[in-house]
Amino acid sequence: MRPPKKDGKPTIVYFHVTVMGLDSIDEGSMTYVADIFFAQTWKDNRLRLPENMTSEYRLLEVDWLKNMWRPDSFFKNAKSVTFQTMTIPNHYLWLYKDKTILYMVKLTLRLSCVMKFMIYPHDTQECKLQMESLSHTTDDLIFQWDPDVPLVVDENIELPQLALVKNYTEDCTQVYSTGNFTCLEVVFVLKRRLGYYLFHTYIPTCLIVIMSWVSFWIKPEAAPARVTLGVTSLLTLSTQHAKSQAALPPVSYLKAVDGFMSVCTLFVFMALMEYCLVNIVLGDSDGPKPPPQPPKMETIFDLAGKENTFLLTTAPKPAPVLTPAQKARNRAIYIDRFSRVFFPLLFFVLNGTYWILFAEYI
């Protein structure tokens, strides 16, 4: 059945959308779910009104749509559409005195949403609800938003990790090889809340990095304690990084959280390598030492001679000479003392740079 064109002009269909809920936003499959009331209004001058119609409009049986023309609109980015049937089918049809028809239906839509995660979790996503004509070009049919109330979004919509900061309507008329097909869209601007990631990713990761610095205060000879602390911190951080990626698709580009976690992993690895350097500098000072010589028995004449020498000598005693092992240990302790200042300072600078760069997205 052809659209009801008048004087050769395309039929205009007015759309109204009431959004009652947004939920089940899945970053892995890049989909979301919307509950909507979808209204279409058009005028068909070919209809013949009943003679006894005295009210402004009349409620018709929905089955009448089978015998009259209606727009061939479909949801362009829908994965699935569920028609509500409880407790009765949720749709109705009104016929006005001026032969205007209003068709309203309640639907649950699972829609695709193209997401970009370059600055995740500081990202803002735009998810769309697109409605397009299936078979009529703009020569026969044009979709327009209702001039009075095109879109209503429930103010009580709450999402666990995202905030609905803005919504608006647009025209998305598409040009295909077969012609121009009219299209309208609703755009939802969703901004990610940082609180969850702050307490479950950023703060625990920083604490793990700080924990790895405890090895700088452990004496260089305690190899088991320092190596165990470094390896444990590195493995814990790797688990934390994998956990932060669990809900995301495996994208090929680097995300903001990847950069942060990679820098933290590098700091823990450098702390472990610092002890390798300390151990090399320390050398074999902890190796087996020759057994001590038994004390030599001194006679009374030797003791008297030492006492006279001590009383007659006024020159100061020479400074003790450090052994190579003592010098190596002092160098190892100096490296640890330098690391106690260098690692926290560098981490603070890089951490501050990260939050300054992404402050505008918070």
Side-chain angles (χ1 to χ4, degrees), residues 3-19:
K5 298 173 66 174
K6 183 178 181 181
D7 301 330
K9 297 180 180 179
T11 302
I12 296 178
V13 179
Y14 295 100
F15 280 20
H16 166 83
V17 174
T18 298
V19 181

Side-chain angles (χ1 to χ4, degrees), residues 47-55 57-60 64 68 95-99:
L47 296 176
R48 186 171 61 184
L49 301 178
E51 296 179 357
N52 60 350
M53 183 174 179
T54 57
S55 59
Y57 65 90
R58 175 175 289 190
L59 180 64
L60 303 179
W64 283 33
M68 65 175 65
L95 175 62
Y96 289 87
K97 276 186 174 181
D98 61 350
K99 299 183 180 181

